[in-house]
Amino acid sequence: MGGVCSNENGGPASDPKEVARNKRVEEEMRAEYKRQEAVHKMLLLGAGESGKSTLFKQMILLYAKDPFPLDEKMNYAPVIFSNVIDSIKILIEQKDNFADEIPFSREEKRYVETILDLDSADDIDPPIANQILQLWRHPGIQKTYENKSKYYITDSAGYYLDRILDIGKGEDYIPTEEHILRSRTRTTGVIERSFDIKGNTFTMFDVGGQRSERKKWIHCFEGVTCVMFVAAISSYDTVLFEDNKKNRLVEALELFEEICNSRWFERTTIVLFLNKKDIFMEKVTKVPLTVCPALKDYVGPKEYLPAVDFIIEEFYAKNQQNKSITIHVTTATDKNNINVVFESVRKSVVEASLANAGLVLHMG
């Protein structure tokens, strides 16, 4: 009986084909590891209604090759119809609390009945659009809208209702990019999208901001290059969708404190977006910052710069680990603003990645 061929270490001789195959697999694994290492993983976090999903859509508009093809635009039509219907219904229902002394006419009461019978999933055709417009222009509805901080309604409500005749075209309605940016659906789960920007690959994750969604965040934390935390500074006088006793800016401050001091992000770049600057600039001249429990010590004027500086200091104070945190005051619906801001973020993220790899000296 013939003996088994052995190598000099006493083991069976390796099959050259097997050796070559193993080498190829190892090279592919190393290449995949390098590819993964070159991807900058960016996590979008923030409380509900902060505008982070708007920021996510803005990134798609800025950097995707075909951001919103026609079929995807059409998918937003029912979302926008729903936003409009929900908004006008809320205003009708809240009118008794803020403008009961300004009655509807007999004709307007018929419109009210028609609108309240609508389902959020219904299309808005021209006749319905005209009825919505008449109700939106009603002095009682306008007075109710002026008191919008006292109940929940989306920030895009006034924008859409002002443009209801452009939207109310039924099946012929094609949402514009601006309409898509301002559309509101509560993010559930995790939405992922990759972008190639100036030779760098960024994978961005948008996760739900409502409290019920936050338990899913932990699955996204590993290997994060940058956390982009979004807080709506304009929300200082409003309450949460899921808890009408909790101030939205207080919730954002508490959540930011939790995130920026988390062990998961000890070596992670943190960028804070204080969003909805446009709404804040208008509101701060009318509504005192002190209505927010977290800002009760503010003694400055009702002016944008001192007010926003005070809020920035409140967020900085939540940083217990003395981390380097970059803050940008933004309007997520403003394409030019986000383009400039993200270019700054991109440079910071790439520099931090090189520093962590020991390739450059990073000046924190």
Side-chain angles (χ1 to χ4, degrees):
M1 207 161 90
V4 177
C5 294
S6 300
N7 61 23
E8 60 183 5
N9 294 323
S14 299
D15 181 352
K17 290 182 179 179
E18 184 69 20
V19 171
R21 186 161 50 247
N22 288 342
K23 184 178 180 181
R24 188 168 63 251
V25 169
E26 288 175 5
E27 288 174 348
E28 289 173 356
M29 289 176 67
R30 276 196 295 268
E32 175 63 16
Y33 177 77
K34 285 183 178 179
R35 189 186 70 79
Q36 290 291 341
E37 284 288 290
V39 173
H40 304 291
K41 184 177 178 182
M42 308 184 76
L43 195 56
L44 264 176
L45 298 179
E49 302 285 334
S50 61
K52 61 185 182 56
S53 293
T54 303
L55 188 65
F56 188 79
K57 286 182 280 190
Q58 194 70 270
M59 298 300 295
I60 294 172
L61 282 171
L62 284 167
Y63 299 113
K65 290 175 182 171
D66 186 13
F68 292 111
L70 182 60
D71 58 340
E72 195 168 339
K73 281 184 177 179
M74 297 308 294
N75 288 337
Y76 278 96
V79 173
I80 294 166
F81 288 152
S82 175
N83 288 172
V84 172
I85 291 169
D86 290 346
S87 294
I88 194 64
K89 279 186 172 183
I90 288 169
L91 290 169
I92 290 168
E93 290 162 358
Q94 290 290 335
K95 177 181 170 295
D96 286 348
N97 297 325
F98 301 102
D100 191 37
E101 74 284 2
I102 310 175
F104 289 123
S105 68
R106 183 176 301 174
E107 184 179 32
E108 287 165 344
K109 286 179 180 177
R110 288 200 300 271
Y111 295 166
V112 166
E113 290 177 6
T114 301
I115 300 306
L116 292 179
D117 282 342
L118 290 175
D119 186 84
S120 293
D122 287 339
D123 286 356
I124 300 176
D125 57 20
I128 292 294
N130 275 292
Q131 292 185 28
I132 291 173
L133 179 62
Q134 292 306 311
L135 293 177
W136 170 235
R137 287 176 172 172
H138 186 273
I141 292 295
Q142 286 296 307
K143 184 178 178 182
T144 302
Y145 184 70
E146 288 171 5
N147 286 276
K148 60 184 179 294
S149 66
K150 299 183 175 78
Y151 52 91
Y152 175 82
I153 191 168
T154 62
D155 288 328
S156 61
Y159 175 87
Y160 284 141
L161 290 167
D162 280 341
R163 294 159 178 79
I164 185 59
L165 297 185
D166 295 329
I167 293 168
K169 298 176 179 177
E171 294 180 355
D172 294 330
Y173 170 55
I174 301 175
T176 66
E177 289 181 352
E178 185 75 11
H179 291 181
I180 290 170
L181 275 178
R182 293 176 183 269
S183 65
R184 173 64 186 151
T185 53
R186 284 189 290 280
T187 305
T188 57
V190 180
I191 302 172
E192 176 184 346
R193 188 103 177 212
S194 292
F195 308 95
D196 290 317
I197 307 169
K198 296 186 177 180
N200 304 114
T201 300
F202 295 85
T203 299
M204 189 172 288
F205 298 84
D206 180 19
V207 297
Q210 266 76 29
R211 289 172 173 176
S212 60
E213 292 294 314
R214 293 177 198 165
K215 59 182 177 292
K216 303 172 186 176
W217 290 9
I218 193 73
H219 303 298
C220 305
F221 283 1
E222 191 171 358
V224 171
T225 311
C226 174
V227 169
M228 301 167 68
F229 189 94
V230 187
I233 51 173
S234 61
S235 66
Y236 68 90
D237 66 334
T238 58
V239 295
L240 296 178
F241 168 79
E242 63 267 44
D243 180 358
N244 62 12
K245 298 278 195 292
K246 188 64 177 278
N247 181 278
R248 278 163 59 182
L249 191 62
V250 170
E251 178 87 349
L253 282 160
E254 291 174 356
L255 189 55
F256 180 72
E257 181 175 23
E258 182 182 335
I259 293 300
C260 75
N261 297 302
S262 169
R263 65 181 178 84
W264 288 96
F265 304 128
E266 288 176 359
R267 299 185 64 194
T268 302
T269 299
I270 294 184
V271 181
L272 173 61
F273 287 80
L274 295 180
N275 194 37
K276 303 192 180 182
K277 171 186 173 182
D278 54 336
I279 300 172
F280 179 77
M281 288 182 76
E282 179 183 352
K283 181 183 288 186
V284 76
T285 61
K286 303 170 185 173
V287 183
L289 282 193
T290 50
V291 300
C292 174
L295 308 178
K296 65 183 186 305
D297 295 331
Y298 180 70
V299 292
K302 289 183 181 179
E303 296 175 7
Y304 169 72
L305 283 176
V308 79
D309 283 344
F310 187 83
I311 293 174
I312 286 172
E313 289 304 317
E314 289 298 310
F315 275 95
Y316 268 134
K318 300 300 181 184
N319 178 15
Q320 298 163 7
Q321 298 186 3
N322 201 29
K323 287 178 65 76
S324 176
I325 296 172
T326 304
I327 296 182
H328 296 280
V329 183
T330 58
T331 300
T333 53
D334 184 336
K335 191 173 184 177
N336 292 330
N337 176 223
I338 298 306
N339 191 19
V340 171
V341 167
F342 190 75
E343 176 58 18
S344 172
V345 173
R346 183 194 69 80
K347 288 178 180 177
S348 297
V349 168
V350 172
E351 180 186 327
S353 295
L354 292 172
N356 288 336
L359 298 177
V360 298
L361 178 63
H362 179 55
M363 307 298 293

